[in-house]
Amino acid sequence: MSNDAVDKFRKKSRDIEYPKLTPYRYKQRLEREKDFKVWTEYYLKDLFTTEGNFYGWADFHFTSFKKIQTAIEQGGNFAFALPRGSGKTSLCKAGILWSLFSGKRRYCLLVGATLIKAKKQLHDLKTIIRFNDKLYQDYPEICGPIRALEGSAKKTETQTAYLEPTNICFTKERLQLPNTDVRFKNNKNINGVAKGSILEVIGITGDIRGCINVLPDGTQIRPDLALVDDFQTRESANSLAQTKTRLKIITEDIAGSSGANNNFAILVPCTVMYRGDGADKILDKKEYPDFRGERMGVLNKLPKNKSLWNEYNEQRILGIEKEDNGKLANKFYKENQKKLERGVKATWEGRKGNCISAIQASMNLYYKFGEDGFMSEYMNSPSEINIGEFEVTEDILKTKLNNIPKRVLPENAHFLTGGIDINPSSGLHWVITAFENNGTAYIVDYGKYPNGREVLYDSKTSQETEEQAVYNGLFELMEGLKEIEYIRGKDIIRPQLISIDVGGGIGDTVFNFIRGYKSSIPLIASRGNANSLYRLPSKKASVGRPLDNCDIRKWKQGKVLVHNTDVWRKRMKQALLLVPRSPNSISLFGDKFSEVEYLASHLCAEKLIDYAQTDKGEFYKWSMQPSLKNDLQDALVMCLANVRALGLQGGGGLKGNVDNNTKQVRTKPKKRNRVSYVNI
């Protein structure tokens, strides 16, 4: 076979032929394209079903269909918030496909709260185009070549249709529709209105400016439609700075990406998490009139007859305990339906499940999620502003006493670890914490050396150097700590690991102390790095496998347990806000706040004032409260990292013995996936 013949054979093997349309089918397709709702119901109804059931459209669906179609056909913006589970994202997916397939839009930007979320949306859209049979039957020039790729982006490089290149782009961040025509069974062709149309994804904090693409025919196009899907995370919604930044990106960067196109459209489906967050602002028609915000809930308002509804809820809970599948609740509801429903209207009558009415189903959600959760997730009208998801105050800590005596461990606390934070101008602050296997933590002891207001080192009055003061202070402190008896049941327990801070220029002194001090309590150096600086070490420098936001690594002076201070401080704040003794909580010993008041002042010293998840990673901003210190907080954070090294929650790390001079780790093989005592 000649080279020309081989080349011809290869080209033919890469060529595809998609189905041809009849004039009648093409006419029906054009007719459906006139109405976004009709088009969606015919081609994409499955997106709005639950377990195969379609519950009809709510009032807010009709409003959304109309406003999305107006924005796509005429330009302009539309921001809307629907109740949780109402299909707002599905509506926008349908809007994107309708606009591209009908040729109403040529270049769509899909902007997510993060790039990962945006990629997931693009993956879903590509799946619909590949496997939706109705779209394939009526839009074969689009779906045929994409279906023939079989999910492989490599095939786009050589694919042809009727011996013409399709020029598809099929990556994780970009989809360019095939450069194909509509073909009829009478062998006539019509220019495809979606030829080369583009769908591109990006995270809202990514580089949105400069989105320009050139089509195969040389035409240069800019975005003419943007879908900004749930643009805020819970953390960014709770940050004034991040809220301001994200709104500015929408109203300036995204709005400006179209260049001189006055027909540009932006769709913003969103969820209001807190009063005053980004969604709450962009839905405000006075503050952002160009976005024509619509805020829709499952009810027109909350019922006024709260006492009767509370009686209903008592029957509902009783029925849950008896596993009666809602019989008691429905019986009470039928008997009191008129009184319960007085003045209240449900916006989605079809969404009632096993309940008698949609109002009853909505109020079940009210009692399930609480008023704050219901008003946020299902009414898009949060009752209160969130003043700080991670803020710990002394008033809060007064409720976190666990009534367990000082230096006493609960029966299930199998880990005991300590942290020593060094601040020469103040002293050595230390915390001892016990942990259960489920991560529940109990602060059992804390203190400072030297006691009271006495400082460890004063450059003006001390008779020894700073290094000598630190070394001698550590010696005296450890001599005292190793004599303390911690009690669990009838047993005397000693800490399994104490870590000592090596930051602040006193690292060599700490390493010398660890190497020279002989104790039955294992010691290890500890170093905290901010999230922006925390990186996993090389395999050569690493000891064991990486842990949860911490790791053991080799330094020249010895081994160090390095942890991500931002992540662990945030987790510590969250844990202190949980109910004492609940899983992953942190509680304080005793029943008198006066015994832990000094500790509490340190735990309240720092406030997380800004936190966001971006495409470049997590962003943290902390603020120190005036006149407060955080040394005991840092010591507690060390305890949280220590227990991961001890193996809590399958954390790996030091599964063996570390001698006191930290020169060697002898690792034991993991026999069973359980938590037990581990000596370090």
Side-chain angles (χ1 to χ4, degrees):
M1 187 180 289
S2 66
N3 290 337
D4 289 343
V6 171
D7 187 52
K8 188 175 181 180
F9 173 79
R10 287 176 176 172
K11 285 183 178 180
K12 191 171 183 180
S13 66
R14 293 191 294 262
D15 191 64
I16 64 150
E17 293 185 359
Y18 49 83
K20 298 179 180 180
L21 292 177
T22 64
Y24 175 75
R25 183 176 286 277
Y26 181 68
K27 183 180 179 181
Q28 284 196 317
R29 159 179 148 175
L30 293 179
E31 194 64 29
R32 293 187 191 102
E33 287 176 358
K34 293 179 181 179
D35 191 305
F36 172 41
K37 175 178 167 291
V38 171
W39 192 90
T40 300
E41 286 179 326
Y42 183 78
Y43 294 108
L44 301 173
K45 196 171 184 178
D46 287 347
L47 290 180
F48 303 91
T49 60
T50 303
E51 297 179 353
N53 297 314
F54 177 64
Y55 296 112
W57 300 116
D59 296 343
F60 49 72
H61 286 129
F62 292 117
T63 301
S64 300
F65 275 122
K66 184 178 179 180
K67 292 208 170 188
I68 289 173
Q69 178 164 349
T70 299
I72 289 174
E73 290 184 332
Q74 301 177 17
N77 309 321
F78 176 42
F80 62 106
L82 302 186
R84 182 178 179 180
S86 299
K88 66 178 183 296
T89 298
S90 295
L91 275 170
C92 289
K93 287 177 182 175
I96 287 174
L97 293 177
W98 174 65
S99 66
L100 293 178
F101 276 46
S102 63
K104 299 179 188 296
R105 297 286 161 173
R106 299 298 310 279
Y107 188 172
C108 176
L109 277 182
L110 201 166
V111 185
T114 65
L115 179 58
I116 292 174
K117 290 183 178 181
K119 286 181 179 179
K120 172 66 170 58
Q121 298 284 36
L122 178 59
H123 178 269
D124 291 346
L125 288 166
K126 290 194 294 186
T127 300
I128 292 170
I129 296 172
R130 280 184 64 193
F131 297 110
N132 186 302
D133 289 333
K134 285 188 175 180
L135 285 175
Y136 177 73
Q137 290 168 1
D138 284 1
Y139 296 89
E141 78 280 10
I142 298 174
C143 301
I146 290 176
R147 183 173 285 197
L149 294 176
E150 298 178 323
S152 173
K154 290 184 178 180
K155 291 184 179 181
T156 61
E157 300 173 4
T158 56
Q159 188 192 68
T160 59
Y162 297 95
L163 301 179
E164 294 292 332
T166 57
N167 296 310
I168 297 174
C169 180
F170 198 78
T171 67
K172 292 182 179 180
E173 298 181 17
R174 193 164 180 263
L175 170 64
Q176 185 159 9
L177 299 182
N179 190 47
T180 47
D181 294 326
V182 180
R183 293 179 175 267
F184 293 97
K185 291 186 176 181
N186 59 9
N187 293 324
K188 291 184 179 180
N189 301 336
I190 294 179
N191 187 50
V193 294
K195 290 173 68 171
S197 293
I198 296 168
L199 174 55
E200 189 171 357
V201 300
I202 194 168
I204 194 165
T205 58
D207 187 10
I208 294 174
R209 294 175 175 270
C211 292
I212 304 174
N213 274 277
V214 179
L215 299 180
D217 63 2
T219 304
Q220 182 174 278
I221 61 172
R222 287 177 175 268
D224 54 10
L225 172 64
L227 167 62
V228 187
D229 184 35
D230 269 334
F231 63 92
Q232 54 184 10
T233 64
R234 188 163 291 279
E235 291 79 14
S236 72
N238 195 36
S239 163
L240 293 176
Q242 285 297 310
T243 292
K244 185 177 180 180
T245 298
R246 293 184 181 220
L247 287 172
K248 195 171 183 179
I249 289 171
I250 294 171
T251 57
E252 295 182 13
D253 295 356
I254 295 175
S257 64
S258 64
N261 184 0
N262 294 323
N263 197 35
F264 189 56
I266 305 176
L267 302 177
V268 189
C270 53
T271 300
V272 183
M273 298 178 184
Y274 312 120
R275 279 175 51 200
D277 70 4
D280 192 42
K281 288 179 177 293
I282 205 166
L283 291 168
D284 189 329
K285 292 180 180 179
K286 292 183 179 179
E287 193 167 357
Y288 289 90
D290 290 342
F291 282 85
R292 299 176 289 178
E294 290 286 345
R295 191 188 306 254
M296 300 164 244
V298 292
L299 300 174
N300 64 332
K301 61 181 179 180
L302 287 179
K304 293 183 178 180
N305 197 346
K306 282 290 185 69
S307 59
L308 188 60
W309 272 106
N310 289 338
E311 288 181 42
Y312 161 80
N313 189 47
E314 290 174 5
Q315 294 298 307
R316 185 184 73 89
I317 294 172
L318 186 60
I320 292 173
E321 293 172 354
K322 293 182 177 181
E323 298 182 356
D324 72 346
N325 198 29
K327 290 181 180 179
L328 277 175
N330 287 346
K331 181 177 182 295
F332 184 91
Y333 195 85
K334 279 183 179 179
E335 294 171 352
N336 300 276
Q337 186 168 358
K338 287 186 178 180
K339 293 180 180 179
L340 289 168
E341 293 183 351
R342 187 172 297 154
V344 183
K345 181 184 177 182
T347 56
W348 193 358
E349 293 295 341
R351 187 178 179 172
K352 62 181 182 180
N354 296 326
C355 295
I356 294 168
S357 74
I359 294 175
Q360 181 191 1
S362 299
M363 289 303 292
N364 283 351
L365 295 172
Y366 173 88
Y367 285 110
K368 180 179 179 180
F369 292 98
E371 182 168 334
D372 287 345
F374 178 79
M375 294 302 293
S376 173
E377 297 284 355
Y378 294 96
M379 297 292 282
N380 286 293
S381 182
S383 52
E384 294 296 336
I385 298 175
N386 188 291
I387 61 171
E389 192 172 349
F390 311 113
E391 185 175 5
V392 175
T393 65
E394 284 200 0
D395 286 338
I396 290 174
L397 292 180
K398 287 177 182 178
T399 69
K400 305 307 175 183
L401 303 180
N402 55 35
N403 297 315
I404 300 174
K406 183 178 181 179
R407 298 177 182 173
V408 175
L409 283 65
E411 286 290 339
N412 293 328
H414 297 303
F415 294 92
L416 187 64
T417 180
I420 301 174
D421 183 72
I422 301 177
N423 184 349
S425 64
S426 174
L428 308 177
H429 288 80
W430 55 274
V431 173
I432 305 294
T433 310
F435 294 84
E436 293 183 7
N437 292 355
N438 63 1
T440 307
Y442 305 84
I443 299 176
V444 298
D445 203 2
Y446 76 96
K448 170 186 172 287
Y449 179 87
N451 293 325
R453 300 194 176 196
E454 189 179 350
V455 300
L456 182 67
Y457 173 76
D458 187 323
S459 59
K460 296 180 179 179
T461 62
S462 294
Q463 300 298 310
E464 55 189 356
T465 65
E466 184 179 65
E467 290 77 10
Q468 289 172 332
V470 170
Y471 192 102
N472 293 334
L474 286 172
F475 181 85
E476 294 296 332
L477 174 57
M478 283 305 304
E479 287 293 291
L481 288 177
K482 71 181 184 180
E483 297 300 322
I484 297 176
E485 295 182 346
Y486 296 98
I487 308 298
R488 187 183 63 219
K490 297 180 180 180
D491 299 323
I492 295 175
I493 307 299
R494 305 289 184 188
Q496 296 146 292
L497 178 65
I498 290 180
S499 58
I500 305 176
D501 173 29
V502 291
I506 41 81
D508 288 340
T509 302
V510 173
F511 281 110
N512 287 335
F513 175 78
I514 292 174
R515 281 194 294 267
Y517 186 74
K518 302 301 180 183
S519 169
S520 59
I521 301 176
L523 304 177
I524 190 169
S526 175
R527 177 61 185 265
N529 286 339
N531 182 70
S532 59
L533 300 176
Y534 180 76
R535 300 289 184 274
L536 290 177
S538 64
K539 289 185 178 180
K540 187 177 180 181
S542 180
V543 178
R545 60 191 176 90
L547 312 173
D548 179 9
N549 281 283
C550 58
D551 63 89
I552 315 297
R553 59 185 71 175
K554 300 174 186 175
W555 285 7
K556 291 181 180 180
Q557 304 98 315
K559 292 182 176 64
V560 188
L561 174 54
V562 181
H563 61 275
N564 186 325
T565 54
D566 285 325
V567 169
W568 284 110
R569 269 187 292 180
K570 187 187 80 165
R571 290 182 183 178
M572 179 209 66
K573 298 284 187 182
Q574 290 173 305
L576 285 167
L577 295 173
L578 297 176
V579 176
R581 308 188 73 165
S582 63
N584 292 309
S585 67
I586 299 177
S587 58
L588 286 60
F589 66 80
D591 57 4
K592 296 179 180 178
F593 186 70
S594 58
E595 294 182 341
V596 294
E597 191 168 2
Y598 182 66
L599 168 65
S601 69
H602 282 240
L603 298 181
C604 300
E606 256 182 319
K607 181 180 178 181
L608 183 60
I609 60 172
D610 204 355
Y611 169 72
Q613 293 175 329
T614 71
D615 293 332
K616 295 181 180 179
E618 294 180 322
F619 168 79
Y620 296 81
K621 186 176 181 180
W622 299 87
S623 174
M624 279 291 294
Q625 304 304 301
S627 73
L628 294 181
K629 296 181 179 179
N630 64 349
D631 303 297
L632 288 170
Q633 172 189 274
D634 291 345
L636 176 57
V637 168
M638 291 183 211
C639 294
L640 300 178
N642 292 350
V643 79
R644 266 61 191 179
L646 287 169
L648 180 66
Q649 297 180 345
L654 296 179
K655 294 288 188 178
N657 300 320
V658 181
D659 54 7
N660 284 338
N661 60 18
T662 67
K663 289 183 179 179
Q664 184 179 7
V665 175
R666 296 183 290 280
T667 303
K668 295 180 180 179
K670 189 174 182 180
K671 294 181 179 180
R672 284 187 281 177
N673 187 22
R674 65 183 179 86
V675 180
S676 61
Y677 283 109
V678 181
N679 292 324
I680 294 188

